[in-house]
Structures are given as structure tokens and as C-alpha cells.
Amino acid sequence: MVDEQGDGRHLLAEVPGSGATGGGESLTTVLVAFGANVLIALAKSVAALATGSASILAEAAHSWADAGNEIFLLVANRRAHKAADELHPLGHGREAYVWSLFAALGLFVAGAAVSITHGIQELITPEPVGHFVIGYVVLAVSFVLEGISFAQSARQAKGEAATFDRDLIEHVLATSDPTLRAVFVEDAAALGGLLIAAAGLFAHQLTGSAIPDAIGSILVGLLLAWVALLLINRNRRFLVGQEADPKVRQAALQAILAAPEVARVTYLRLEIVGPRMISVIGDVDLTGDDTESHVAVRLRALEAKISASPAVAGAVLSLSAPDEPTLSV
């Protein structure tokens, strides 16, 4: 959309993330992760049957849970980009957090609970383990595939982090894109889980005891539980309404104040309403001393300029009262 200044740029053109088009890249990231996890889950399942290893079985449950989660994330990515309608004037962006929450719950139940339960059962009634080489080969191949998926999510996150002047981990935890966060964190946990499983399998082979392997299964489950709770908490925060990053707020305030028709801003709230989407609510004092009807037209025009940003789901502005303090950049 071209704004009324005639330069082809929206009013919030310089706001971090205002030109973000990460939805397509997030879809690629999820598809890569889904393909990798299906292959890994099949390989781990075969290895778990061949070796009888509790930690490899836990890893198989982990990968199947991740593959199932990617389906939820694909649904999240698709539904979040539905166009706004009469009943949803700010769009359907928050659906991404609902479906990502389902995915995190699935990881907790299908991944963490199964791994911990099986590890405890293995401690009580140990099972013999054999064909260690098969287990090592499958874990090594799985590590490579998980690494490919992790590299894709890290590449996307690193590019976006530079836009917000954040480091990689900070951006993954703060990003409004739940699919990117889920894939990155789950892949990182998967790489860690593979190392745990390999250590448990090696200790079992070295000592002949099933205890290290069972402990490995429990540790994998605890790792998955921590990841699931982290993702659940992040999605909860976005669902109940979260203010945009302070850098985004500062840049948006500066951009609005720079508009020639704005004398001052006394209130500004930027709430995240979906992946890379915000709603803008503010009180402004316009330049000049127009009639009430003309002021209303100017306010609507200013709202349109702000809403022209691809990162803005909607803007609602009101007039500032004379005694309200001015916000400064």
C-alpha cells in the first residue's frame, strides 16, 4: 500500500520488522524439520527394536513427537495468515500461538512423559541390549539430519535477529514467530538428546548394566519436559497479550512524531497480535487548529498510513487531551 506522502513507503518503514516477510521462510523451516524428523523417527524406531536400548527408544518417541508437532506448526503457519474479516478485524495471527501451544503440550505428553516412564520401567525391569553398532550408526545419521534442520532454523533466526539488533538466543526467545522458536528449540534439544542417548548406550556397552541407558532415557524426558514448558510459557504470554519489543516501540514513536501532521504523542501501545504483526493504539495531538470534522478525517488518514505497514494489523488513534504528558523518543 502506498501512503499519502506519495513516496511509496509506509509511515513505519524504518520500524524493525515492519517489512518482514518471514512467513514463507518459517514454512520452509517447518517443512525441513518435518521431513528430517520423520526419517529420524523411523530410523530410531528400527534401532530401538534392534538394540533394545531404552535411551534410543526415548529418542524415537522424541522424534515422533517432534514430527507430530510439526503438523501443528504447519496448521499454525497456515491459519495465522488468513486475511482479516468482519469478525476478526485484526486478522487471525494469534491462532499461531494456539496451535503452537498444542504442539508444546504434545511434546510434553508424547515425548517427555513417555521417555521418563520408559526409563523408570527399564530401571525396575532391565531389558538386554545388543547390536550396539546399529544404535551408534542410527544416532550418528540422526545427528546429521537434525543438524541440517537446526542449521535452517538458526539461519532464519540469525537473519531476523540482526534486524532487531539481538543475539541469536535472545531473538529465539523473544520472537513473535512461534514456529521458528519451536523448531529451533526442539532441534537444539534433539541434538542434546542424541548425545545423551549415545552416552547412555556406550555406558551400557562398557559396564553391561542397563542403569546408564535407563538414566539416559529419563534425562532425555526431562530435557523434553523443560523445552515443552518453555514453549508453553512463551505461547501463553503472546496469547494473553504482550507489548512489542522496546526497540520497535521506540522506532514507531519516532516515526509517528516525524509525520508532519503530528505535533506530539501522549499514549502509544503496540500489542503483538500474531507473528510479526502488531496493533497500534495511540493518542496524538495534530498540528494546526482544524474543525472537528476535518480533524477526524486527518486522524483516519494517519491511521491508514500506519496500517499500510505489513507489520501492522490495525491502528486506532484518538486525540490527546491538553494536560496529558508528551511521550519523548
Side-chain angles (χ1 to χ4, degrees):
M1 183 182 297
V2 177
D3 67 39
E4 293 183 7
Q5 294 171 339
D7 58 4
R9 288 155 51 101
H10 52 79
L11 185 60
L12 304 190
E14 302 303 322
V15 174
S18 64
T21 56
E25 191 167 11
S26 292
L27 177 60
T28 301
T29 298
V30 175
L31 289 174
V32 170
F34 177 72
N37 278 314
V38 169
L39 292 175
I40 292 168
L42 289 170
K44 287 179 182 176
S45 297
V46 172
L49 291 174
T51 63
S53 168
S55 55
I56 293 182
L57 183 61
E59 274 299 299
H62 177 185
S63 294
W64 282 118
D66 280 352
N69 289 348
E70 257 82 66
I71 296 176
F72 281 117
L73 296 180
L74 288 171
V75 173
N77 191 74
R78 180 175 180 274
R79 295 187 67 88
H81 289 87
K82 289 177 62 179
D85 53 44
E86 188 174 338
L87 295 178
H88 305 88
L90 297 180
H92 297 75
R94 282 198 175 104
E95 285 222 40
Y97 307 119
V98 174
W99 290 94
S100 297
L101 183 63
F102 291 159
L105 290 171
L107 181 66
F108 188 86
V109 175
V114 170
S115 299
I116 293 172
T117 300
H118 185 72
I120 293 172
Q121 290 174 342
E122 186 70 13
L123 285 174
I124 298 172
T125 56
E127 297 288 337
V129 176
H131 303 291
F132 291 96
V133 173
I134 295 176
Y136 294 135
V137 169
V138 167
L139 290 176
V141 172
S142 298
F143 196 88
V144 171
L145 292 174
E146 289 286 6
I148 293 172
S149 177
F150 181 72
Q152 165 62 24
S153 60
R155 186 186 65 80
Q156 181 186 350
K158 187 178 293 185
E160 294 182 7
T163 303
F164 290 90
D165 194 25
R166 299 168 177 159
D167 62 43
L168 181 61
I169 301 302
E170 180 188 9
H171 179 69
V172 168
L173 294 176
T175 179
S176 61
D177 183 349
T179 59
L180 172 61
R181 177 170 39 252
V183 173
F184 181 94
V185 174
E186 288 176 8
D187 284 346
L191 292 172
L194 288 168
L195 295 177
I196 293 172
L201 187 63
F202 178 72
H204 191 154
Q205 183 182 17
L206 196 65
T207 64
S209 170
I211 292 178
D213 195 32
I215 292 175
S217 178
I218 294 172
L219 290 177
V220 169
L222 291 174
L223 176 63
L224 296 182
W226 177 78
V227 168
L229 291 174
L230 172 68
L231 294 176
I232 288 170
N233 184 52
R234 292 306 300 161
N235 285 300
R236 175 191 62 80
R237 291 186 181 186
F238 284 107
L239 279 172
V240 299
Q242 180 165 316
E243 183 84 3
D245 185 277
K247 294 185 181 71
V248 175
R249 174 185 168 81
Q250 189 74 359
L253 177 59
Q254 188 171 358
I256 294 172
L257 284 171
E261 61 266 58
V262 177
R264 64 192 187 106
V265 178
T266 59
Y267 175 79
L268 184 65
R269 175 167 174 79
L270 308 179
E271 184 174 324
I272 296 172
V273 294
R276 305 175 189 83
M277 294 295 296
I278 58 173
S279 71
V280 178
I281 301 175
D283 293 342
V284 300
D285 188 8
L286 300 180
T287 56
D289 189 19
D290 291 325
T291 62
E292 182 177 345
S293 59
H294 194 198
V295 167
V297 172
R298 292 177 65 193
L299 273 179
R300 298 296 85 79
L302 184 58
E303 289 173 350
K305 288 183 182 182
I306 295 172
S307 298
S309 168
V312 177
V316 177
L317 300 178
S318 302
L319 289 178
S320 302
D323 59 345
E324 290 178 335
T326 301
L327 298 180
S328 57
V329 294

